[in-house]
Amino acid sequence: MSSSKHSSALRRLALSVLQPGFVGTEAPDWILRDIGDGLASVVLFSRNIVSTEQVARLTGQLRAENPDLIVAIDEEAGDVTRIESATGSSRPGNFALGTVDDAELTEAVAADLGRQLRTAGVSLDYAPSADVNSNPDNPIIGVRSFGSDPDVVSRHTSAWIRGLQSSGVAACAKHFPGHGDVAVDSHHDLPSYPAGREEIAAQALPPFRAAVAAGVRAVMSGHLLVPAYDPDLPATLSRRILHGLLREELGFDGLVVSDAIEMGAVTRRHGIDGATVKAVAAGVDAVCVGGESAEEATVALLVKALTTAVTGGELPEERLAEAADRVREFARWSAGLRSAAGDAGTTAGVGDGIGHIAARRAVRLTGAARAALPLTAAPHVVELAPVTNMAIGKETPWGVAGPLRERLPGTTSVRVRGQELEEGTVALERCALEPAAGRPLVIVARDVARHAWMSRAVTGLTAARPDAIVVEMGLPGTTTTAAAQIFTHGASAASGVAAAEILTTTSAG
């Protein structure tokens, strides 16, 4: 083969192992050109989405270049939603489903989501999170996990995969080998999971074994250090973890996808180009990029890094070719899955379907809350808003004030952030207690146990107003039996509607 032909073939191989994002609700010319040159996958984010119908037009435009193109999305339902980022998810997330612990319900919710994604032309969903949230201070997983019990997480990981794939959309179990017991957000730095191999086998790996048994054909690596297997390299860059543990020990022979390669956990030390080369060398078949770095220049940089690594002997060409083969094989399989599902039709919106039923079933109340319901007058709602991790879209609405206002006209609300309280620009006396004088006070929180400022605010407000009702939309944490509390186990739009219904109806049992 001539050098120019070899160079062109290498470029096609490099393009085929990337899963880039892009900006806009229509496909930019450079993406269409790259698909023609061998790009086999793209990933959609909320910036690409206006409606299911618009995404269907977009994916049709993309697939005109390659009918088997893998179109991926990071859609977990619950707090992490892309397809409904503008409205909030009409389905609860994993923690709510794990709380109900009805595998048939979980399967039905995932199938419902799958039908919507299938209609939009999506073929791969970076979900479910198979992480066991064994560290309650975990800043990145939390309600994205089905829970802290490996058996519960395994059961619902399997059900979610079955449901999604029954609707023609491929699932992707993440974040291997388990991101649940960390205390650092991998978007910013490298977390470590210091457990020994026995503990990892008992705590973190069972859901991934269950995922493989349930027929998952894609697994996403996590950017975390697991010293029991590799003291030097995070899982995404570790052959010992991706090949030795995932492929040899767990018997997984499908597609290994990296978590977003631009995340600080891997780029701070290796750069985005170095991390990409090391990931493919370690056993990653498809490199997800473009949540933040979504320019044509980023794809060009990574293609150059991969081809240069091959010609320079840093990356064996056989490994790059093997990764490209796995991508092609997955593309054919997922296209078959999609066509076998037939015409999926559309799904119902918030409050109409299985998502709302599931969210309602996940709500739990303390005895004091039961005694205080229903609200008969329009309340004042104080929503305590934490800074969320980057997986949760800043544009995604959450809370209880909106759906409460629909049910009790005259409901007023304020949203308070920790920084405002610390700086003294907002005082709870003025914005929370004074407007609530002579009327019900509802306090909405999100992970009180993880935020000292929020805990202080809730303590102060309930001391001043012992009759206040607290709605916790994150992890429950420790409860005080005296307080009237409602737990939604997630902050999706469906969970907010479910909480508002319970606050305003007598059937709170």
Side-chain angles (χ1 to χ4, degrees), residues 118 159 163 196 224 232 248 296 341 357 367 376 419 425 439 449 460 465:
R118 161 77 178 65
L224 70 160
D232 302 313
E248 292 186 345
E296 180 181 5
I357 292 167
T376 52
Q419 188 178 354
T425 53
R439 51 199 288 225
R465 284 288 301 266

Side-chain angles (χ1 to χ4, degrees), residues 75-358:
E75 174 60 56
E76 299 176 15
D79 291 30
V80 179
T81 180
R82 307 291 176 242
I83 200 77
E84 296 183 292
S85 66
T87 58
S89 178
S90 56
R91 305 166 186 91
N94 286 3
F95 189 52
L97 294 171
T99 298
V100 178
D101 198 12
D102 177 346
E104 287 186 7
L105 179 70
T106 295
E107 189 169 339
V109 169
D112 185 57
L113 173 62
R115 284 189 291 274
Q116 183 176 12
L117 296 180
R118 161 77 178 65
T119 300
V122 170
S123 54
L124 169 62
D125 187 6
Y126 295 149
S129 165
D131 307 295
V132 179
N133 198 60
S134 45
N135 182 351
D137 290 327
N138 191 324
I140 184 66
I141 301 300
V143 296
R144 299 168 66 192
S145 166
F146 289 111
S148 58
D149 181 333
D151 290 340
V152 170
V153 177
S154 298
R155 184 158 59 247
H156 291 277
T157 294
S158 299
W160 212 94
I161 290 165
R162 285 195 305 271
L164 188 76
Q165 295 193 164
S166 74
S167 292
V169 176
C172 177
K174 64 185 184 185
H175 307 79
F176 188 81
H179 218 303
D181 193 7
V182 301
V184 170
D185 184 344
S186 50
H187 287 94
H188 306 297
D189 212 338
L190 180 61
S192 180
Y193 179 22
R197 290 194 180 198
E198 283 189 13
E199 184 182 335
I200 292 169
Q203 185 74 21
L205 295 182
F208 291 98
R209 292 187 185 278
V212 172
V216 82
R217 295 287 290 270
V219 169
M220 178 178 280
S221 64
H223 299 330
L224 70 160
L225 201 64
V226 190
Y229 286 93
D230 193 327
D232 302 313
L233 291 167
T236 297
L237 313 183
S238 171
R239 183 164 175 81
R240 295 180 197 175
I241 291 173
L242 297 184
H243 186 78
L245 180 57
L246 179 57
R247 294 220 182 273
E248 292 186 345
E249 192 174 318
L250 268 64
F252 178 68
D253 63 358
L255 188 75
V256 176
V257 183
S258 78
D259 204 348
I261 205 69
E262 64 262 48
M263 286 164 64
V266 289
T267 57
R268 283 178 66 142
R269 185 172 167 190
H270 305 284
I272 191 170
D273 47 353
T276 296
V277 170
K278 287 181 182 297
V280 175
V284 164
D285 304 307
V287 177
C288 172
V289 63
E292 297 161 74
S293 305
E295 306 80 25
E296 180 181 5
T298 300
V299 174
L301 173 71
L302 300 190
V303 167
K304 184 179 180 183
L306 289 166
T307 55
T308 302
V310 170
T311 55
E314 186 186 350
L315 173 64
E317 187 170 346
E318 298 75 25
R319 167 80 275 268
L320 184 61
E322 176 190 52
D325 283 344
R326 282 220 182 86
V327 171
R328 274 193 296 273
E329 183 185 344
F330 181 88
R332 282 194 298 270
W333 173 78
S334 62
L337 189 72
R338 201 167 68 249
S339 61
D343 184 10
T346 56
T347 49
V350 176
D352 297 325
I354 191 70
H356 179 69
I357 292 167

